[in-house]
Amino acid sequence: MALAFDEYGRPFIILKEQDQKTRLRGIDAQKANISAGKAVARILRTSLGPKGMDKILQSPDGNVTITNDGATILEQMDVDNQIAKLMVELSRSQDYEIGDGTTGVVVMAGALLEQAERLLERGIHPIRIAEGYEMASRIAVEHLEHISQKFDFGASNIEPLVQTCMTTLSSKIVNRCKRHLAEISVKAVLSVADLERKDVNLDMIKVEGKVGGKLEDTELIYGITVDKDMSHPQMPKQIEDAKIAILTCPFEPPKPKTKHKVDIDTVEKFQTLRLQEQKYFDDMVQKCKDVGATLVICQWGFDDEANHLLMHRNLPAVRWVGGVELELIAIATGGRIVPRFQELTPEKLGRAGLVREKSFGTTKDKMLYIEHCANSRAVTIFIRGGNKMMIEETKRSIHDALCVARNLIRNNSIVYGGGSAEISCSIAVEAAADKYPGVEQYAVRAFADALDSVPMALAENSGLQPIETLSAVKSQQIKENNPHYGIDCNDVGTNDMREQDVFETLIGKQQQILLATQVVKMILKIDDVISPSDY
Amino acid sequence: MAIEKILKDDASEEKGERARMASFVGAIAITDLVKTTLGPKGMDKILQSTGRGHEVTVTNDGATILKSLHIDNPAAKVLIDISKVQDDEVGDGTTSVVVLAGELLREAEKLVAAKIHPVTIISVYNNVCLFYRLRMASECARNALLQRVVDNKENAGYAFILYYLPNVLGFDKEHFAQLAVDAVMRLKGSTNLEAIQIIKKPGGSLKDSFLDEGFILDKKIGLGQPKRIENAKILVANTAMDTDKVKIYGARVRVDSMSKVAEIEGAEKEKMREKVKKIMAHGINCFVNRQLIYNFPEELFADASILAIEHADFDGIERLALVTGGEIASTFDNPESVKLGHCKLIEEIMIGEDKLIHFSGVEMGQACTVVLRGASHHVLDEAERSLHDALCVLSQTVNDTRVLLGGGWPEMVMAKEVDELARKTPGKKSHAIEAFSRALVAIPTIIADNAGLDSADLVAQLRAEHHKEGCNAGIDVISGSVGDMAELGIAESFKVKQAVLLSAIEAAEMILRVDEIITCAPRKREDRM
């Protein structure tokens, strides 16, 4: 294969060291790729929906993660196969772009691949399949736009937002108090959102967790928490109307960056140096005091002497605060980060209504709460839970909920969930298929079948008869011309998703279909896999 | 076509039934391991570390046992984690939480085998849990009355300390209960257990352990300094008392003759002398430093007949500052504004063969020291752990005074309620509700088993008793029969019980929801040999 002969019959090598590589070509390559992609989708399939199951993932270091977030599962899965890695990428890009629906997108892609395999067996050229998929996805996206609905919310009317977040959270382990968490997420997003520009900076929301307590104790803090305590145990634990100096320079003698030496060769020099050193500490503390600061937050450590001087002058201080936290504090309190003591001025101080230290449990765990900040835009979601894995999973769930709320603020169109949107699209695509002359018709029809697989998986996971349920819902949708019928996963009794208040964002759904189609197209176009063989 | 390999070489994947079985087996194995340590007559475990010296720990504290295990099963890790959190959060109930979670899973396993979907089981467990908590809170209200009776009888917590010190302390329980109650009462409502110092000294018997009102520092007094000071004024400091180097970066001494070296040395000495003088200017007669004190300043202090104590650890310093009411100082330029600590008497005392420094008549009564005596290190370690549990429970209870009766009483009451609920619930959910109640009853059963009693008989008796309204019956392990818990004064903290229940359910839920385990290839250790 990789050996060719020139016109004189002499062999020459095209592919170097070919005995060390394995190579798959043509239909074999496509089939191998498809089966790899399907295998990944199969793993995630059972995690879909409100009754989806979790996975335990054990990392190389033995740490345990329990999650049903698609992106997290795939990221930690130690995947080796190239195509499987593509699927991992797919779910990751959905995570970055939308933040939710990471499982659904992989399941969708898996279903598309499965359908493609069947078409390949019938001898349809992969490119034609890809083109057909492309057309079908366009129809589906347009149809989604068509069935979507705008809904109104405002700072005072957050109920619709809460409902949407609840749909997201219902598939997670935090199901038990989804209402509480959804409200927290929505309030957090609204307090940092810029409703006029329709933009939300999620960096302003800090999600912190601490083990202990129960999930219901999770709270939203209008301010910042820092996992640090006061530098000196005898400093006051609570400060009202704090004026905060935010420093990035240590309370230590200066360390000039240019190389230098101070030589001590006489007693006088020794003594002047000593006096200077003392004065230096004194000056530093005095500077902070002079500008009227009542709390010092510093990125670096303090010398013992400085620490005592601070204590002595009644100036509480916090040391070793991380860079990111420092920035958040600066934003929240409206202060400026000051790199030198000389540049400290009263205008650069941040303001907070209340700073307090709070201790947890029986061990010496303490945290610093900075509340009632001048600029209340930065908020913290503080999660409590029974164990570490629970907290981690809650963090991921909250992240999803935050993203959903953000997407709704950017674009307030929604589609109904519970697989209803997919079923409706499937009907539309199926109907459109007949209009295409040529081979693409088959691909478009296959796309419609693939769309059905999402509600099918939902029904399967909820312990319903998948085919029976799906066909019932489908016929109901066509008969009543109502795209709101979906799978009744929670056994509520109705499958009108509007009554159940289950909805998802339009852009999330659209993105799912587009991304899944793109990846499948990419996989279909591969006809040669060259990889180094095992050594 | 062969099934494509997706994962890396050594990574493994377990699916569906197999995965669920693996996690059930792991969780139940852990439960069985710690089960025998539950209750007042639970047995101990010997733990041998793999480290150098093969150190041995004898304990029956759930968290300690689980922390020392090397576990590979992910579900077991979840259980270990909840036990750890329980320890951090409320300090006690570390065994019960694991046992309850394990029993819930054991029951769930049967249900799953009977083809009930795990998600259904979870939702039922959650509902029952909510119901249970409401009931528990209302039972607490009923017990408020009882609580008052307990209050009058003795110190608030005395009663259930009896229940919580089941371990090696067995024989000297009452002594220890008194000790723990006294210590916590001194905290005046704070939960900061740091203020209670525990010093372990081998020798003597457990009965010789005592609570000291003052503060004991495990240090010696410098040579030639007074051994006893009355009305001491104490300066607590954290400062370098060795050479006190120049801190400005890059400074170094560079000389060209011997005489100059001597001069600089003189200057250094002078500097130290000045510093000591400044310290003395505070008008103190005792100086405690966190860092080393070199011979030269020590000598100066001795000359001025000031007691100098060097190298106290940081916790010691903080506690000392707390009890004497002084502040921790690092600069000494303005003596008038530094707050000094005071105490009536400082003296050297002997415990066993060791000399310790004893501060008595301190200003703030918050901190205190418990000196534990015992025959061996193992006994002492275990005593410390038990005392820690007791202190945690007490300090939590001081804040939240609601209590429940002990001896399996809450489990039985709830099991009865849950059973009734099951009877009213139509559909397959009732199986799961029944399972929940069975898991609850397992706890008194285990307590009875561990005490060598006929558990089947006792639990049946209990169940019969509980069919009467307002019954206070529980298992009296000491006499081996069913007894009135209110009369025996056996109680448990509501907060602990609630935390046990919540964490156990959360953990059971997490494990139940799993249908696949993916294990990554273990990171290869680099061969350094």
Side-chain angles (χ1 to χ4, degrees):
Chain A
M1 272 193 294
L3 201 67
F5 296 93
D6 61 8
E7 61 260 43
Y8 303 108
R10 285 175 302 198
F12 65 90
I13 292 163
I14 300 171
L15 201 64
K16 245 175 134 183
E17 293 165 343
Q18 56 164 319
D19 50 336
Q20 285 178 28
K21 295 194 166 66
T22 53
R23 193 169 170 198
L24 276 175
R25 293 184 71 188
I27 200 88
D28 278 346
Q30 269 143 359
K31 282 203 171 158
N33 291 344
I34 287 174
S35 86
K38 265 163 57 189
V40 173
R42 209 162 41 228
I43 291 174
L44 287 193
R45 202 178 153 90
T46 53
S47 289
L48 194 73
K51 298 222 167 158
M53 304 300 277
D54 289 4
K55 316 274 176 229
I56 289 186
L57 300 153
Q58 204 166 12
S59 79
D61 299 324
N63 294 331
V64 173
T65 311
I66 300 185
T67 183
N68 79 356
D69 180 51
T72 314
I73 296 174
L74 291 179
E75 215 148 290
Q76 306 219 350
M77 232 170 60
D78 218 3
V79 164
D80 201 25
N81 185 294
Q82 303 308 314
I83 300 301
K85 276 185 188 158
L86 269 181
M87 301 290 268
V88 175
E89 280 298 317
L90 166 70
S91 139
R92 197 179 297 158
S93 58
Q94 173 83 7
D95 194 28
Y96 285 159
E97 192 59 28
I98 305 294
D100 183 39
T102 50
T103 314
V105 70
V106 176
V107 172
M108 180 77 210
L112 284 175
L113 285 173
E114 203 174 325
Q115 295 294 335
E117 193 177 10
R118 266 180 228 165
L119 295 179
L120 278 177
E121 271 165 15
R122 288 175 163 192
I124 299 178
H125 193 273
I127 296 293
R128 306 297 287 272
I129 302 176
E131 273 166 11
Y133 276 3
E134 178 68 39
M135 283 178 216
S137 74
R138 233 176 290 135
I139 300 169
V141 169
E142 267 164 34
H143 183 72
L144 277 178
E145 193 104 51
H146 177 65
I147 61 168
S148 72
Q149 288 184 344
K150 299 259 175 209
F151 80 147
D152 293 321
F153 62 87
S156 53
N157 177 21
I158 59 168
E159 190 55 29
L161 285 175
V162 173
Q163 291 287 356
T164 323
C165 287
M166 271 166 67
T167 311
T168 308
L169 291 176
S170 64
S171 66
K172 312 282 180 190
I173 196 162
V174 294
N175 198 330
R176 178 151 48 93
C177 48
K178 61 180 173 187
R179 171 96 217 166
H180 181 60
L181 291 181
E183 270 170 21
I184 285 179
S185 314
V186 171
K187 278 184 196 152
V189 169
L190 280 180
S191 63
V192 302
D194 186 343
L195 287 177
E196 255 150 49
R197 281 200 306 122
K198 293 200 169 185
D199 195 21
V200 182
N201 185 0
L202 284 189
D203 290 342
M204 306 278 272
I205 302 175
K206 200 169 149 218
V207 183
E208 278 275 346
K210 199 146 202 115
V211 282
K214 47 186 189 287
L215 209 51
E216 283 85 347
D217 294 338
T218 302
E219 54 178 343
L220 177 68
I221 298 159
Y222 291 97
I224 308 275
T225 59
V226 186
D227 203 352
K228 292 274 177 298
D229 50 0
M230 297 290 182
S231 64
H232 196 288
Q234 286 160 321
M235 284 177 178
K237 306 281 178 227
Q238 186 164 343
I239 306 158
E240 274 165 36
D241 288 323
K243 291 189 190 114
I244 307 168
I246 306 160
L247 298 171
T248 51
C249 46
F251 272 91
E252 272 163 20
K255 286 182 183 159
K257 277 173 193 125
T258 42
K259 230 177 173 179
H260 71 291
K261 273 180 207 148
V262 182
D263 281 348
I264 303 171
D265 49 7
T266 60
V267 175
E268 290 78 48
K269 271 193 186 169
F270 180 78
Q271 269 157 358
T272 42
L273 208 59
R274 222 184 79 207
L275 285 176
Q276 247 179 13
E277 187 187 291
Q278 268 176 5
K279 198 166 158 302
Y280 189 78
F281 281 125
D282 223 37
D283 279 355
M284 285 193 296
V285 178
Q286 197 55 44
K287 279 247 171 59
C288 299
K289 201 74 190 166
D290 280 348
V291 294
T294 53
L295 174 69
V296 177
I297 291 177
C298 185
Q299 195 174 7
W300 302 100
F302 304 162
D303 195 88
D304 286 341
E305 273 185 66
N307 203 358
H308 177 247
L309 276 174
L310 284 168
M311 160 78 196
H312 203 81
R313 305 260 167 96
N314 204 7
L315 194 60
V318 188
R319 57 182 154 182
W320 296 314
V321 177
V324 185
E325 283 162 335
L326 211 64
E327 250 171 56
L328 273 175
I329 294 173
I331 295 171
T333 60
R336 291 264 295 277
I337 297 175
V338 180
R340 274 171 216 278
F341 287 99
Q342 288 79 7
E343 286 164 22
L344 211 55
T345 55
E347 303 86 63
K348 286 181 183 166
L349 297 181
R351 270 153 222 278
L354 180 66
V355 178
R356 64 197 165 99
E357 203 179 273
K358 197 176 168 192
S359 51
F360 294 99
T362 59
T363 41
K364 221 172 44 169
D365 266 354
K366 282 182 190 144
M367 282 185 99
L368 207 64
Y369 283 51
I370 303 175
E371 289 170 295
H372 309 302
C373 302
N375 173 4
S376 66
R377 296 269 309 275
V379 295
T380 305
I381 297 176
F382 188 58
I383 301 171
R384 307 301 310 274
N387 55 48
K388 206 171 67 215
M389 295 119 198
M390 189 81 187
I391 299 243
E392 290 301 313
E393 177 67 358
T394 312
K395 268 189 192 171
R396 283 188 286 269
S397 313
I398 293 257
H399 167 253
D400 282 9
L402 290 176
C403 289
V404 167
R406 177 196 59 184
N407 294 342
L408 278 177
I409 287 174
R410 281 194 187 152
N411 179 351
N412 63 353
S413 305
I414 51 142
V415 290
Y416 287 90
S420 66
E422 280 88 356
I423 298 175
S424 173
C425 282
S426 154
I427 295 170
V429 172
E430 183 91 52
D434 296 338
K435 290 178 201 146
Y436 286 96
V439 190
E440 280 88 353
Q441 194 186 90
Y442 281 83
V444 174
R445 214 171 272 145
F447 192 90
D449 284 343
L451 277 170
D452 281 344
S453 75
V454 173
M456 195 103 94
L458 273 180
E460 223 173 283
N461 292 344
S462 316
L464 303 168
Q465 293 291 334
I467 298 176
E468 230 163 77
T469 320
L470 179 64
S471 51
V473 172
K474 211 168 186 177
S475 71
Q476 203 175 3
Q477 274 209 10
I478 295 174
K479 212 184 290 163
E480 300 179 28
N481 197 16
N482 181 348
H484 302 150
Y485 289 114
I487 308 288
D488 178 19
C489 300
N490 291 324
D491 237 1
V492 181
T494 168
N495 49 13
D496 188 340
M497 289 299 131
R498 190 143 56 162
E499 273 170 42
Q500 282 202 25
D501 284 327
V502 177
F503 28 71
E504 293 170 64
T505 56
L506 170 68
I507 39 176
K509 214 54 322 142
Q510 284 179 332
Q511 197 72 22
Q512 266 187 5
I513 291 179
L514 288 176
L515 281 176
T517 316
Q518 263 176 30
V519 167
V520 169
K521 268 169 63 189
M522 191 148 68
I523 293 175
L524 282 176
K525 279 187 178 167
I526 300 170
D527 76 335
D528 200 340
V529 180
I530 302 168
S531 51
S533 66
D534 300 331
Y535 39 86
Chain B
M1 193 170 51
I3 297 165
E4 275 300 304
K5 210 176 71 191
I6 299 174
L7 299 168
K8 281 193 185 139
D9 280 349
D10 294 334
S12 67
E13 189 188 348
E14 284 180 61
K15 284 193 149 189
E17 290 301 308
R18 275 180 62 88
R20 206 168 282 138
M21 207 168 73
S23 44
F24 281 145
V25 167
I28 289 171
I30 286 287
T31 312
D32 287 342
L33 183 81
V34 292
K35 200 159 95 173
T36 54
T37 64
L38 192 73
K41 294 217 171 159
M43 303 303 276
D44 290 3
K45 307 266 176 222
I46 288 187
L47 306 165
Q48 193 171 25
S49 81
T50 47
R52 215 168 26 150
H54 293 282
E55 262 177 61
V56 171
T57 316
V58 181
T59 182
N60 82 357
D61 179 47
T64 314
I65 298 171
L66 294 176
K67 246 185 265 176
S68 338
L69 293 177
H70 296 286
I71 293 285
D72 200 32
N73 186 298
K77 277 188 184 156
V78 175
L79 288 191
I80 292 176
D81 199 58
I82 56 168
S83 158
K84 254 188 233 162
V85 171
Q86 181 80 7
D87 194 26
D88 286 349
E89 190 64 16
V90 283
D92 185 62
T94 51
T95 314
S96 337
V97 69
V98 175
V99 172
L100 185 59
E103 290 301 329
L104 284 173
L105 285 172
R106 198 194 298 271
E107 293 299 332
E109 189 189 7
K110 288 179 202 155
L111 293 177
V112 171
K115 295 275 179 283
I116 294 182
H117 197 272
V119 174
T120 317
I121 305 176
I122 293 166
S123 71
V124 169
Y125 274 12
N126 268 330
N127 284 342
V128 177
C129 162
L130 199 72
F131 170 79
Y132 185 96
R133 263 172 56 208
L134 285 176
R135 284 292 306 179
M136 214 146 80
S138 71
E139 287 295 333
C140 277
R142 187 157 77 90
N143 277 314
L145 204 85
L146 175 100
Q147 165 73 8
R148 231 168 286 137
V149 180
V150 180
D151 264 337
N152 291 342
K153 251 197 232 158
E154 262 295 356
N155 282 318
Y158 182 72
F160 53 79
I161 281 301
L162 284 176
Y163 187 73
Y164 273 109
L165 290 172
N167 311 347
V168 275
L169 308 179
F171 307 107
D172 308 306
K173 264 186 203 173
E174 302 202 358
H175 180 64
F176 269 86
Q178 198 58 51
L179 236 143
V181 171
D182 285 350
V184 171
M185 283 306 165
R186 291 175 69 86
L187 287 178
K188 298 190 182 79
S190 119
T191 51
N192 187 6
L193 293 180
E194 290 289 306
I196 300 175
Q197 190 191 18
I198 299 177
I199 292 180
K200 295 177 282 184
K201 286 282 165 204
S205 77
L206 281 172
K207 259 217 163 65
D208 297 334
S209 308
F210 62 93
L211 175 90
D212 196 279
E213 303 261 313
F215 182 77
I216 292 175
L217 202 59
D218 197 354
K219 288 284 163 239
K220 288 198 186 78
I221 292 177
L223 214 61
Q225 291 165 343
K227 298 274 184 248
R228 183 187 162 87
I229 295 178
E230 280 177 41
N231 285 332
K233 284 188 216 124
I234 309 161
L235 181 66
V236 188
N238 175 15
T239 186
M241 288 303 272
D242 35 16
T243 48
D244 203 7
K245 52 193 174 291
V246 177
K247 282 167 191 155
I248 291 172
Y249 181 72
R252 61 171 189 174
V253 178
R254 195 184 196 127
V255 287
D256 43 17
S257 70
M258 282 302 283
S259 60
K260 285 205 174 139
V261 176
E263 273 171 32
I264 293 206
E265 208 190 329
E268 257 178 18
K269 254 194 180 156
E270 196 52 43
K271 182 186 168 196
M272 186 48 73
R273 199 188 298 274
E274 243 172 60
K275 190 167 184 179
V276 172
K277 256 194 205 134
K278 270 188 208 154
I279 291 170
M280 286 195 233
H282 289 73
I284 52 161
N285 45 21
C286 174
F287 176 72
V288 185
N289 192 16
R290 191 174 81 82
Q291 298 173 27
L292 280 175
I293 303 178
Y294 269 26
N295 292 359
F296 176 65
E298 192 177 333
E299 186 193 317
L300 291 176
F301 282 124
D303 283 349
S305 74
I306 289 174
L307 178 63
I309 302 163
E310 62 163 11
H311 217 238
D313 54 12
F314 203 81
D315 285 345
I317 283 283
E318 270 183 33
R319 273 194 212 113
L320 194 61
L322 203 69
V323 282
T324 59
E327 70 180 54
I328 301 171
S330 293
T331 56
F332 309 100
D333 290 327
N334 344 338
E336 62 286 345
S337 62
V338 173
K339 256 170 59 196
L340 296 180
H342 294 277
C343 79
K344 291 246 164 59
L345 179 69
I346 300 176
E347 61 183 340
E348 207 174 47
I349 52 164
M350 301 269 290
I351 297 178
E353 288 187 345
D354 296 317
K355 283 181 193 163
L356 303 162
I357 304 168
H358 182 223
F359 298 75
S360 56
V362 290
E363 265 188 1
M364 312 269 195
Q366 283 204 5
C368 58
T369 304
V370 177
V371 180
L372 289 178
R373 307 299 313 274
S376 74
H377 275 294
H378 305 307
V379 173
L380 282 177
D381 285 348
E382 182 63 1
E384 189 190 358
R385 275 190 292 270
S386 314
L387 196 61
H388 170 252
D389 280 7
L391 290 176
C392 288
V393 173
L394 275 176
S395 66
Q396 297 286 344
T397 315
V398 169
N399 287 341
D400 183 350
T401 51
R402 288 179 290 178
V403 292
L404 291 163
L405 293 176
W409 175 82
E411 281 83 10
M412 289 310 293
V413 172
M414 293 312 131
K416 183 186 144 204
E417 299 276 341
V418 172
D419 267 340
E420 260 163 42
L421 184 74
R423 242 169 280 153
K424 283 181 217 147
T425 313
K428 61 184 172 188
K429 281 188 179 165
S430 72
H431 291 290
I433 300 176
E434 270 172 19
F436 195 95
S437 112
R438 274 201 298 278
L440 285 174
V441 176
I443 290 195
T445 314
I446 293 167
I447 294 180
D449 274 339
N450 286 348
L453 304 171
D454 183 353
S455 61
D457 184 44
L458 269 181
V459 171
Q461 271 186 43
L462 254 188
R463 197 186 283 260
E465 284 286 326
H466 273 273
H467 265 279
K468 296 172 204 150
E469 228 10 79
C471 156
N472 290 334
I475 295 178
D476 180 2
V477 180
I478 314 295
S479 69
S481 61
V482 171
D484 188 327
M485 292 293 120
E487 263 171 36
L488 288 167
I490 296 175
E492 291 178 77
S493 151
F494 169 68
K495 208 172 163 191
V496 171
K497 207 78 207 172
Q498 188 185 349
V500 165
L501 188 76
L502 284 174
S503 317
I505 294 207
E506 266 177 21
E509 184 181 347
M510 290 201 95
I511 295 172
L512 267 176
R513 281 179 71 105
V514 168
D515 75 333
E516 183 154 342
I517 302 175
I518 296 169
T519 314
C520 295
R523 203 180 289 285
K524 294 264 185 328
R525 289 251 174 80
E526 272 175 39
D527 234 352
R528 291 213 192 90
M529 304 298 273

